[in-house]
């Protein structure tokens, strides 16, 4: 096992500074200002992709708690650990002294050593529930980083976390069986990472704006990148308006999220491709900021499930209204 990435403490400190300043107090989904929420996340990623990844998880956790009628712990940086790895689900069992005791390892735990608490999906008596787990007692010995060998986003300290023996109170349960997965907010929240992908790509467009000269083909690639940037912003704004119009419609939320994630994934990839075609290899080998951003975006975009999501979208009922079908 290895220790955290040398830049992890900087990334954590920058995210905490945003939290303390109120910059992460974003509009709640479905209350009339959701487009501003997505724009704020994109702006964070345009500045720093790793900070945005941690911030997006925090604001998603706050949103989830709000939907459950719970207040987020004040001043605490939160994560959302909902991925399932090869070890299977983390399990929660009643403890003889009260509360629940956890058993198992949680994969892809973002901010493993950086967040104060995490919303963790667990199995309890055959049900799928969400727990708010304080991480004060989860020390370095419980973190396994061997599965994250790429330097891309390594400063967000994603690890496999051993939660065996960790105890939580009965009140740590957030929602009932499958509440986390079945609520419309699951799909509203799925747009948040896409906003970060868009912001990360906008940072590459910013670089191109200052690096492209008068060569006609390079200018054409820059024009295409500007068009992709416009398209991503338009898709996110439209998605935000759709959330606000029908916040409780889970079917529409799912179709919307799958469509927007595909559109942003494709547009961000086009920006990455055209940056290289416009400027050649130089920024991808000689500019540390571009190298890190390009690599981070490539990894981050793979939260989109590509053709699997497109199949799901194709099998869903035909979208209507804000998704571009017949109303």
């Amino acid at each position: 096992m290895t220790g955290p990435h040398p830049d992890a403490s900087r990334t954590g400190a920058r995210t905490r500074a945003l939290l303390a300043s109120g910059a992460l107090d974003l509009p709640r989904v479905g209350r009339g200002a959701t487009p501003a929420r997505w724009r704020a996340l994109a702006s964070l990623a345009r500045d720093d992709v790793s900070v945005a990844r941690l911030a997006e998880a925090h604001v998603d956790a706050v949103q989830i708690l709000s939907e459950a009628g719970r207040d987020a712990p004040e001043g605490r940086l939160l994560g959302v650990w909902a991925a399932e790895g090869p070890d299977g689900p983390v399990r929660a069992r009643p403890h003889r002294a009260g509360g629940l005791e956890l058993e198992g390892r949680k994969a892809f735990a973002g901010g493993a050593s950086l967040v104060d608490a995490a919303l963790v999906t667990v199995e309890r008596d055959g049900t799928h529930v969400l727990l708010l787990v304080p991480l004060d007692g989860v020390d370095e010995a419980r973190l396994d980083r061997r599965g994250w060998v790429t330097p891309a986003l390594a400063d967000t300290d994603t690890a496999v976390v051993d939660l065996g023996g960790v105890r939580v109170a009965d009140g740590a349960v957030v929602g009932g069986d499958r509440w986390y997965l079945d609520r419309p907010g699951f799909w509203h929240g799925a747009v948040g990472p896409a906003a970060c992908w868009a912001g990360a790509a906008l940072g590459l467009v910013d670089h191109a704006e200052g690096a492209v000269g008068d060569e006609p083909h390079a200018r054409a690639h820059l024009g295409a990148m500007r068009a992709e940037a416009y398209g991503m912003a338009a898709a996110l704004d439209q998605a935000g308006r759709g959330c606000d119009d029908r916040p409780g419609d889970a079917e529409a939320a799912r179709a919307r999220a799958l469509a927007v994630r595909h559109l942003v994934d494709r547009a961000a990839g086009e920006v990455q491709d055209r940056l290289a075609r416009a400027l050649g290899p130089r920024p991808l080998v000689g500019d540390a900021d571009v190298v890190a951003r390009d690599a981070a975006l490539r990894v981050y975009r793979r939260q989109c499930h590509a053709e699997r999501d497109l199949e799901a979208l194709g099998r869903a009922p035909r979208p209507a209204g804000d998704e571009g079908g017949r109303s």
Side-chain angles (χ1 to χ4, degrees), residues 29-321:
V29 173
R31 297 188 184 179
T34 305
R37 179 185 179 90
W38 304 146
R39 286 195 294 272
L41 287 174
S43 180
L44 288 173
R46 192 173 191 166
D47 179 58
D48 189 314
V49 185
S50 293
V51 168
R53 185 168 183 252
L54 292 180
E56 189 280 325
H58 172 83
V59 301
D60 189 36
V62 172
Q63 174 72 31
I64 293 166
L65 290 169
S66 175
E67 290 175 20
R70 305 271 293 269
D71 293 327
E74 188 172 352
R76 306 272 278 176
L77 185 62
L78 305 178
V80 179
W81 297 352
E84 303 297 348
D87 295 329
V90 172
R91 291 180 170 82
R93 306 182 188 281
H95 192 273
R96 61 182 179 276
L100 299 170
E101 183 175 6
L102 304 185
E103 174 187 286
R105 289 156 42 98
K106 178 57 75 171
F108 292 106
S113 69
L114 304 176
V115 299
D116 301 308
L119 290 171
V120 183
T121 52
V122 306
E123 183 183 284
R124 184 188 65 171
D125 296 329
T127 66
H128 185 282
V129 299
L130 189 68
L131 299 181
L132 178 59
V133 180
L135 300 172
D136 309 77
V138 177
D139 59 20
E140 185 66 25
R142 290 177 174 269
L143 309 186
D144 183 352
R145 301 181 178 88
R146 290 174 295 181
W148 196 280
V149 298
T150 177
L153 296 172
D155 56 339
T156 63
D157 200 24
T158 300
V160 178
V161 179
D162 181 2
L163 293 172
V166 172
R167 291 178 56 192
V168 297
D170 288 322
V173 178
V174 179
D177 183 25
R178 291 190 58 83
W179 174 83
Y180 169 71
L181 294 171
D182 291 345
R183 64 199 167 87
F186 177 83
W187 292 106
H188 296 324
V191 179
C196 293
W197 309 338
L202 289 173
L204 294 177
V205 178
D206 291 339
H207 177 83
E209 292 284 357
V212 167
D214 288 332
E215 197 277 323
H217 294 106
R219 279 285 162 186
H221 287 305
L222 177 61
M225 284 187 275
R226 288 175 175 173
E228 297 293 355
Y230 183 91
M232 288 187 286
L236 289 165
D237 276 356
Q238 182 79 344
R241 289 193 293 272
C243 291
D244 289 337
D245 289 344
R246 289 179 287 169
D249 189 335
E251 189 175 275
R254 178 173 181 261
R256 182 186 307 116
L258 292 173
V260 171
R261 285 164 68 94
H262 166 68
L263 290 171
V264 174
D265 177 40
R266 186 177 62 181
E270 182 75 2
V271 167
Q272 290 184 281
D273 182 54
R274 287 189 179 273
L275 178 77
R277 290 159 66 187
L279 300 176
R282 191 180 303 277
L284 296 174
V285 299
D287 188 306
D289 290 338
V290 172
V291 170
R293 178 176 292 271
D294 182 74
L297 178 55
R298 198 165 299 279
V299 170
Y300 204 173
R301 283 171 50 213
R302 294 295 30 97
Q303 284 189 12
C304 177
H305 301 141
E307 284 72 18
R308 284 176 291 171
D309 283 353
L310 291 178
E311 180 190 9
L313 182 59
R315 291 184 182 277
R318 185 174 183 180

